[in-house]
Amino acid sequence: LLVSNQYPYGIITFFALIDPLWLLIVKTLFYRSVDTRMYVSWLSGPLFFTSIVTAVAFIIWVFMDSGHAWNNVTRVTAAEKTGCVPNFDEYPDCMSQDGSGDTCFYSFDS
């Protein structure tokens, strides 16, 4: 479920399910005597912290492997996996000069 190539919605679903449960567990364990309205008003800080941690984790994940970045190699790989046909009318320089009708570049990942 957490493999983004096969299930691109997996990480978002995981976050959407776990984050509210995490906040409910924190409220139940540590702030049992605090009114729920008061607890919810305090959530701006923890939610901001969670967003910062998520952004930092995402940036680290992107720079850990070149396959995680949206670069030319991953674009070609994604296009080949989806069966996207190259547009040689607008981009004639992308056609291979050997007369095969293929692109002048390819991906080893596909």
Side-chain angles (χ1 to χ4, degrees):
L1 183 64
L2 298 179
V3 179
S4 64
N5 288 344
Q6 296 172 358
Y7 307 103
Y9 50 83
I11 299 295
I12 299 295
T13 304
F14 183 72
F15 180 78
L17 292 174
I18 296 300
D19 200 46
L21 292 175
W22 164 249
L23 295 173
L24 181 64
I25 290 169
V26 168
K27 162 76 168 93
T28 304
L29 292 178
F30 300 111
Y31 300 105
R32 193 172 310 164
S33 62
V34 176
D35 181 44
T36 303
R37 290 178 190 253
M38 180 66 71
Y39 176 72
V40 170
S41 71
W42 293 343
L43 288 181
S44 61
L47 290 175
F48 181 70
F49 176 73
T50 301
S51 67
I52 296 297
V53 168
T54 303
V56 168
F58 176 74
I59 291 169
I60 290 170
W61 177 79
V62 166
F63 286 109
M64 281 177 55
D65 184 10
S66 64
H68 297 162
W70 188 247
N71 54 28
N72 290 335
V73 174
T74 56
R75 287 179 192 162
V76 171
T77 303
E80 287 177 352
K81 285 182 181 177
T82 60
C84 183
V85 180
N87 184 357
F88 295 128
D89 294 332
E90 289 185 39
Y91 304 103
D93 294 337
C94 292
M95 185 180 288
S96 178
Q97 300 302 319
D98 63 4
S100 66
D102 291 331
T103 57
C104 59
F105 53 86
Y106 55 92
S107 170
F108 291 111
D109 293 337
S110 59

